[in-house]
């Protein structure tokens, strides 16, 4: 028939149900989420300008930022709620109350030299703040005190305040722009850091 309870009971679930509706033997692990959970959103914004400096250098100054909201965290209700069940254990519940911010100042200095040599220096000053840095159903993402979300807001797990890169590139001049077989095989190579 069309009744959802018309299927035969799985033999591993025991005979019948106990007082709280669970099986007589074993436990049931539950994952849940509010039916009216909001859609996670990320707003990203950036602005960049470039200027030609003396000594054939190019300077770039930019800003990059983002704001996120309604991301899901998983709270282990079997640990945080006073009522514990031996039948329904563990119980995990998703809450869409995670939010975060990122702001970064990006600078870059480039110079092209003769003979195909280029250097590039970049520096980023940034800050990332959030109430939860990762989304995954494992203990590696557990919050320190999931009962009170306001205690979790602080620097992101991936927050790196100062980040500097220095790189160099050399277009190898040997066999460059040659139409021969050797030019096609050995030309156009680059060496970089």
């Amino acid at each position: 028939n069309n009744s959802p309870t018309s299927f035969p009971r799985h033999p591993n679930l025991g005979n019948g149900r106990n007082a709280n509706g669970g099986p007589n033997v074993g436990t049931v692990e539950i994952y849940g989420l509010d039916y009216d959970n909001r859609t996670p959103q990320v707003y990203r914004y950036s602005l960049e300008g470039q200027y030609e400096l003396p000594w054939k250098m190019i300077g770039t100054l930019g800003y990059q930022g983002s704001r996120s909201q309604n991301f899901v965290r998983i709270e282990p209700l079997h640990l945080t709620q006073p009522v514990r069940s031996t039948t329904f254990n563990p119980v995990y519940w998703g809450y869409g109350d995670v939010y975060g911010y990122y702001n970064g100042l990006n600078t870059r200095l480039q110079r092209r030299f003769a003979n195909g040599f280029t250097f590039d220096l970049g520096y980023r000053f940034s800050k990332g703040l959030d109430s939860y840095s990762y989304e995954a159903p494992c203990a590696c993402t557990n919050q320190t005190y999931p009962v009170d979300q306001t205690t979790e807001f602080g620097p992101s797990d991936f927050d790196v305040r100062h980040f500097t890169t220095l790189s160099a590139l050399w277009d190898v001049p040997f066999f460059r722009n040659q139409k021969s077989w050797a030019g096609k095989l050995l030309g156009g190579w680059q060496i970089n850091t």
Side-chain angles (χ1 to χ4, degrees), residues 63-79:
Y63 167 77
Q64 183 179 12
S66 68
R67 184 182 70 141
S68 60
Q69 61 189 24
N70 305 332
F71 277 78
V72 176
R73 68 181 172 97
I74 297 174
E75 182 177 329
L77 294 181
H78 57 282
L79 300 176

Side-chain angles (χ1 to χ4, degrees), residues 1 5 7 57 69 78 82 93 114 127 132 136 144 154 161 167:
N1 63 32
T5 60
F7 293 99
M57 298 180 90
Q69 61 189 24
H78 57 282
W93 200 259
K127 184 165 186 134
Y132 193 55
T144 54
R161 191 67 44 95
S167 63

Side-chain angles (χ1 to χ4, degrees), residues 81-92:
Q81 300 297 322
V83 177
R84 297 202 175 134
S85 170
T86 57
T87 304
F88 302 103
N89 190 14
V91 178
Y92 299 100

Side-chain angles (χ1 to χ4, degrees), residues 120-162:
D120 193 338
L121 173 67
Y123 172 72
R124 181 184 70 213
F125 176 71
S126 64
K127 184 165 186 134
L129 297 167
D130 63 27
S131 55
Y132 193 55
S133 294
Y134 298 104
E135 284 188 302
C138 66
C140 63
T141 63
N142 285 354
Q143 294 179 303
T144 54
Y145 189 61
V147 176
D148 185 2
Q149 182 70 350
T150 61
T151 64
E152 300 297 318
F153 188 75
S156 301
D157 291 350
F158 51 84
D159 181 42
V160 177
R161 191 67 44 95
H162 305 281

Side-chain angles (χ1 to χ4, degrees), residues 3 36 53 55 70 94 108 124 131 134 163 172 174 181 191:
S3 170
D36 61 348
L53 301 169
W55 304 295
N70 305 332
R108 186 174 179 187
R124 181 184 70 213
S131 55
Y134 298 104
F163 185 75
V172 180
F174 310 116
W181 178 85
I191 297 173

Side-chain angles (χ1 to χ4, degrees), residues 112-118 169-173 176:
R112 285 188 177 269
F113 293 93
N115 299 324
F117 181 72
T118 306
L169 176 91
W170 181 46
D171 286 321
V172 180
R176 189 186 308 165

Side-chain angles (χ1 to χ4, degrees), residues 6-59:
S6 67
F7 293 99
R9 186 176 202 70
H10 194 282
N12 291 342
L13 292 178
N15 300 328
R17 298 181 186 147
N18 62 20
N20 58 7
N24 288 329
V25 178
T27 61
V28 177
E29 183 173 329
I30 296 177
Y31 281 82
L33 183 68
D34 288 334
Y35 71 92
D36 61 348
N37 198 47
R38 294 171 295 187
T39 303
Q41 299 172 337
V42 176
Y43 299 97
R44 296 176 12 168
Y45 29 91
S46 63
L47 177 66
E48 185 174 85
Q50 202 174 62
Y51 193 74
E52 187 173 343
L53 301 169
W55 304 295
K56 298 181 183 177
M57 298 180 90
I58 303 290

